[in-house]
Amino acid sequence: MSLLREAEKCLANQKAYAGLNAFITPLQRSGSWLDRVRDADARRESRSSKSPLDGRLIAVKDNICTRTLPTTCASGVLDKFTSPFDATVVNALEDAGAVVAGKTNLDEFGMGSHSIHSRFGPVRNSRQDGDEAPLSAGGSSGGSAVAVATEQCYAALGTDTGGSVRLPAAYTGTVGFKPSYGLISRWGVVAYANSLDTVGILGRKTSVVRDVFNVLNHHDHRDPTNLSPSSRSRISSYLATPPLSDRLTSRPLRIGVPLEYNLSELTEPVRRAWLRSLAHLEKQGHTLHPISLPTTKLALSAYYVLAPAEASSNLAKYDGVRYGTRAEGPDSEEGPNGYLYAKTRGEGFGAEVKRRILLGSFSLSADAMDNYFIQAQRVRRLVQADFDAIFSTENPLRASAIERQETTVDVLIGPTAPSTPPRLSSLLDASNQSSPLNAYVTDVFTVPASLAGLPAISVPVSVSDSTSSSQHGSENESSDTDTVGIQVIGQYGDDELVLKVGEILEHATFVE
Ligand code: GLN
């Protein structure tokens, strides 16, 4: 199919699936992008494509800055805001010939697990569970995931702070990859929690995700947290030396099965997909090893102290004076809503973001600091140490050696989420809203890798009884919940191995 036809098809799907609310700003028919796709077609004819992404439509989560389209973060404090610059990732995509396919819906500032906390209304999953009731698309990059699942774009960018790319991928049957912290530039990506934020990639196949990753995985001096060129080359030469370079090529993998991930709350399809994945890898000659990550059970609580603490500090700038949309009215009128800051912030932020600001401000306050923030930082170190103790590869960022467990492994395999997507109605239900803990628990398997900065991918694994492939064909893009997201986690810098294992699982077919 020509690139132009492919792009036209995405555009038609954006119209056909508008009800899913995946886009805040969809692509317009007008504009120079059609010419750019035509040019890419010509380059493809003459075998001079700029990259595998030349002429492809890539959707961008709406917390990533674009010069030509507004960036709202799904928030009232960024009403009608258009950035004066493009994020580095957007520039990189365009330099590779890709076209921004619009800006996708999300939980406000990336805070949420179901893409329901958006000023533009919730995202709906295109999948159904046999009923008409819409399901959660996962969050916070739910718009990007649904856009990918329904072929409204070729691939999409999301952000993943505690699971926001992996969870929507699991719920929509797509592939979602969170690279090692610091590999992809965050310059021009609106901050949620700086020590955790990463740009992630969603696609229908791991190979596409890899193509996008290769375009974005470069040093950017404008992002001070971006990995330096010297560290990059140190890590790649470490991994290119035997015995590490032999993994998969001339020796099978040692696969870790984290025992703490075997919660009694796992639903039947999730457990089934996990067992199938392990059986499949074993059949391919890889060996399975139960391992223990004892601090896992504390990771979620630590995350929900640290992320809101960083968020409360990051969001302080939206005061309507230096930054952000200003609420109407005089600056110093009497009364609780009369003061400019209070009014701007009270009207502009949604309920979940306000909750995070309150939580974060509390845990950073002098009285609570030692009991919450400091403790959570300690837990974070323990989570990192747990991972370093079980990986056979050293953490290239760790300054001192660490004692390894007797059994070490190359990658870990576990579920991405404890269950399949819940109904949107159950999440939007007023009584349920009062317990945000329900949504927080969804992130139990994704936050450990985030706290440790490790690469992790969620791939769809089939759970249907008959022989079936987890890949999405164009004919059956949205009518089943036959796959469950399975997560592969690797050591820092081992991104390519994580992608390779994702590919093995994605291509698995199961005959029982
Ligand atoms: N659900 C998590 C949160 O609300 C993760 C969000 C994310 O990764 N952006 O913080």
Side-chain angles (χ1 to χ4, degrees), residues 63-65 86-92 157-159 179-190 197-200 213 215-227 232:
N63 58 352
I64 300 178
C65 289
D86 282 320
T88 298
V89 286
V90 170
N91 276 327
L157 298 188
T159 55
S180 298
Y181 178 84
L183 289 190
I184 297 187
S185 166
R186 296 184 312 191
W187 194 78
V189 179
V190 180
D197 290 342
T198 58
V199 172
F213 178 57
V215 163
L216 303 182
N217 180 18
H218 297 291
H219 175 67
D220 177 15
H221 66 91
R222 288 178 297 191
D223 172 1
T225 59
N226 200 246
L227 199 66
R232 285 171 189 265

Side-chain angles (χ1 to χ4, degrees), residues 452-503:
L454 305 181
I457 195 168
S458 175
V459 289
V461 167
S462 165
V463 282
S464 71
D465 277 328
S466 55
T467 315
S468 100
S469 158
S470 57
Q471 273 178 285
H472 271 267
S474 48
E475 315 78 38
N476 65 339
E477 71 264 317
S478 60
S479 58
D480 64 331
T481 44
D482 278 354
T483 66
V484 162
I486 290 296
Q487 184 177 212
V488 184
I489 305 175
Q491 177 57 291
Y492 187 91
D494 230 349
D495 297 61
E496 182 50 36
L497 186 69
V498 166
L499 288 166
K500 280 186 183 143
V501 178
E503 227 152 22

